[in-house]
Amino acid sequence: MVIRRIREHAAQQNWFSVAIDLLIVGVGVFLGMQASNWNDARIERQQSESYRIRLVEDLRANESDLQQRRAYYRQVRSHALAALEVLELPPRPAGEQFLIDAYQATQVVPRTLSRFTYDEMIAAGGVDRLDGADLRKRVKNYYSGIETAETTFRTIPPYREHLRRVMPYLSQRQIRTHCREALGTSSSGEQMNILPKSCRLALDSSSISKAVAQVRSSPGITADLTRYLIDLELKLDLFDLLEGRARNLRQALQEQTA
């Protein structure tokens, strides 16, 4: 309709009206572009807010996960220290508790920490939409730190393979039956692994003595367990470090959303 009116005014050589019509068209185009820009900015703000909220939830889940891992690996470390004490003092009598300690020291939690939101943001270029260069840097550094730590978390110690190779099958089966770790789910949905505080094996004294002697006499078992204890100490330190970083970053993101 506007184009037809411009043509009519041009045919009548009514240039003032033509100018008015063109101005109306220009203003309409400008307002349309501005509305589109405003809408795009609104959608981007909403997406950025959604990312921040989801990052907060992921970080809270990581905090819970790291706390659970720390408790689990402290149990593993306790078993490892008890087994090492027996291995380093061969004359000391050893029974089924040594077998339990030696086996439970091989337990691991190989799962990864939650980073689904961050990976999605990387794919969509969403990290750069977070407010503040310092906050963006902290987010990137945190997840970069997780990636480095996961290398340690995923490491399967030689001791695990060594012990499970030399301990008699019947002993291992009894431990897995009577000393099985409990699997649960936290309030935020993460898997929880808990080792039993105590358990008893349905093995006769002859089988226990044979199994203890077989483990004790395996070359290098003490060295492998010693090395694994150092690895456990590193894991526990990393759990503390990453939990603190996750908590601090979560609080910073919550301040942005407040």
Side-chain angles (χ1 to χ4, degrees), residues 28-40:
V29 171
F30 173 77
L31 291 177
M33 292 176 62
Q34 285 297 104
S36 178
N37 291 338
W38 290 333
N39 187 58
D40 289 344

Side-chain angles (χ1 to χ4, degrees), residues 143-208:
Y143 284 99
S144 177
I146 280 185
E147 187 173 347
T148 301
E150 293 287 5
T151 303
T152 300
F153 297 162
R154 289 192 297 267
T155 299
I156 303 299
Y159 171 74
R160 175 184 170 94
E161 174 65 20
H162 191 160
L163 186 282
R164 296 191 178 197
R165 183 161 40 83
V166 301
M167 181 180 286
Y169 167 73
L170 180 60
S171 299
Q172 294 192 53
R173 189 180 69 181
Q174 290 299 309
I175 294 172
R176 289 181 59 81
T177 299
H178 298 285
C179 307
R180 183 184 299 274
E181 65 181 5
L183 299 179
T185 304
S186 70
S187 58
S188 53
E190 293 84 28
Q191 178 178 303
M192 297 178 63
N193 303 64
I194 303 173
L195 295 176
K197 293 183 178 180
S198 63
C199 58
R200 296 299 302 272
L201 307 182
L203 289 172
D204 57 69
S205 58
S206 177
S207 296
I208 291 174

Side-chain angles (χ1 to χ4, degrees), residues 27 63 67 105 114-116 122 143 165 167 174 187 192-193 195 206 236 239 251 256:
V27 170
E63 289 177 66
Q67 291 167 5
S114 177
R115 51 176 295 147
F116 304 114
I122 289 293
Y143 284 99
R165 183 161 40 83
M167 181 180 286
Q174 290 299 309
S187 58
M192 297 178 63
N193 303 64
L195 295 176
S206 177
L236 289 169
F239 296 152
Q251 292 171 347
Q256 289 287 333

Side-chain angles (χ1 to χ4, degrees), residues 86-87 89-94 98 211-219 221-222:
V86 174
L87 288 172
L89 300 172
R92 179 174 177 174
F98 167 71
V212 169
Q214 196 163 319
V215 172
R216 272 181 158 177
S217 63
S218 180
I221 190 72
T222 303

Side-chain angles (χ1 to χ4, degrees), residues 97-152:
Q97 187 57 50
F98 167 71
L99 297 179
I100 293 170
D101 288 330
Y103 184 87
Q104 298 293 47
T106 69
Q107 302 286 20
V108 295
V109 179
R111 66 176 181 267
T112 59
L113 290 167
S114 177
R115 51 176 295 147
F116 304 114
T117 300
Y118 180 73
D119 289 341
E120 181 181 328
M121 293 175 69
I122 289 293
V127 177
D128 291 333
R129 296 174 186 170
L130 294 173
D131 293 335
D134 180 65
L135 183 61
R136 291 194 294 270
K137 183 178 180 180
R138 289 177 63 181
V139 169
K140 292 177 181 178
N141 286 341
Y142 171 75
Y143 284 99
S144 177
I146 280 185
E147 187 173 347
T148 301
E150 293 287 5
T151 303
T152 300

